[in-house]
Amino acid sequence: AQSVTQLGSHVSVSEGALVLLRCNYSSSVPPYLFWYVQYPNQGLQLLLKYTTGATLVKGINGFEAEFKKSETSFHLTKPSAHMSDAAEYFCADSGNTPLVFGKGTRLSVIA
Amino acid sequence: EAQVTQNPRYLITVTGKKLTVTCSQNMNHEYMSWYRQDPGLGLRQIYYSMNVEVTDKGDVPEGYKVSRKEKRNFPLILESPSPNQTSLYFCASSLMASGELFFGEGSRLTVL
């Protein structure tokens, strides 16, 4: 069955440090990959998505992700963390509909 | 403004008392879905609907019912709620099943 694995349920970084949140997918068909962010007491909102074309995808708030087919990965990065980035992040794949979500990674940013 | 609206946002109820969580979207989306979010388990899909009068079970459908009589509405029905249905519920919609999902603000349900 299709699955999405997010390595690390909780990641902590210092303000200004690199953010790296890991995501691996398993679908055998070409994936449509998404990263969503959930701020406290809010619903999920789209950060970025990969469908076809350029493998480096830029999203909102300075985040980007790179689709690597050989590694079945879609890791999320941001060069410099800001306090406002503290949230829960979900990776999702809809290579086989409907969308399948990873379990989420909580990002903490330390001043 | 394009949005998915859920009601109620917060609800405390007792075991066995039927309740409905409403969901409405104003984007003319074909696809709608319900998820529950629990600590450590992420988002799990309850039911989804590809179009009017078409609904399918997700990963955790037991204890829930849905209907899709109109394109914009997709209510979630708990006929006889139990404490293990205490959770945060999200409704979402998209133009098509493989596309970007738009989420509601969530409904926090507590069953005593």
Side-chain angles (χ1 to χ4, degrees):
Chain A
Q2 179 186 357
S3 67
V4 174
T5 302
Q6 292 184 238
L7 293 173
S9 58
H10 186 206
V11 170
S12 214
V13 300
S14 298
E15 193 174 18
L18 171 72
V19 175
L20 171 61
L21 304 182
R22 299 177 188 273
C23 172
N24 288 90
Y25 66 93
S26 71
S27 64
S28 56
V29 299
Y32 285 3
L33 296 164
F34 303 80
W35 274 100
Y36 286 85
V37 61
Q38 183 183 25
Y39 298 106
N41 300 313
Q42 294 186 25
L44 282 73
Q45 62 184 87
L46 184 71
L47 261 184
L48 50 80
K49 65 182 176 184
Y50 168 80
T51 53
T52 58
T55 56
L56 182 62
V57 180
K58 294 189 186 302
I60 60 172
N61 300 336
F63 283 92
E64 61 182 37
E66 187 170 11
F67 169 60
K68 290 188 177 180
K69 186 178 177 180
S70 61
E71 299 177 7
T72 60
S73 70
F74 191 56
H75 302 331
L76 181 71
T77 61
K78 181 174 180 178
S80 176
H82 192 272
M83 297 299 289
S84 61
D85 294 326
E88 185 139 21
Y89 292 80
F90 292 92
C91 183
D93 174 19
S94 69
N96 287 312
T97 60
L99 209 60
V100 173
F101 284 88
K103 287 189 164 49
T105 298
R106 181 166 299 280
L107 176 67
S108 296
V109 182
I110 304 163
Chain B
E1 180 189 352
Q3 59 187 1
V4 178
T5 304
Q6 297 178 227
N7 280 295
R9 293 288 314 280
Y10 301 91
L11 180 64
I12 300 174
T13 189
V14 295
T15 299
K17 186 176 181 182
K18 180 180 178 179
L19 68 91
T20 299
V21 186
T22 64
C23 174
S24 181
Q25 50 93 4
N26 63 0
M27 295 168 278
N28 201 36
H29 284 167
E30 305 265 320
Y31 180 83
M32 296 187 75
S33 181
W34 276 102
Y35 296 87
R36 60 177 289 174
Q37 184 179 18
D38 301 288
L41 298 178
L43 283 161
R44 294 181 292 168
Q45 190 175 45
I46 303 170
Y47 269 95
Y48 64 96
S49 169
M50 302 286 268
N51 212 328
V52 175
E53 300 292 1
V54 180
T55 62
D56 280 294
K57 295 177 180 179
D59 299 317
V60 289
E62 294 77 21
Y64 304 95
K65 284 175 57 177
V66 292
S67 68
R68 187 91 181 275
K69 292 182 169 46
E70 308 163 278
K71 200 171 191 179
R72 64 183 293 128
N73 295 323
F74 190 45
L76 179 70
I77 303 155
L78 286 73
E79 293 271 3
S80 183
S82 62
N84 65 12
Q85 292 178 297
T86 292
S87 187
L88 179 58
Y89 291 86
F90 287 102
C91 180
S93 71
S94 65
L95 205 52
M96 54 184 181
S98 60
E100 174 190 349
L101 276 173
F102 291 80
F103 282 83
E105 293 282 294
S107 296
R108 186 168 292 282
L109 171 64
T110 301
V111 183
L112 302 175

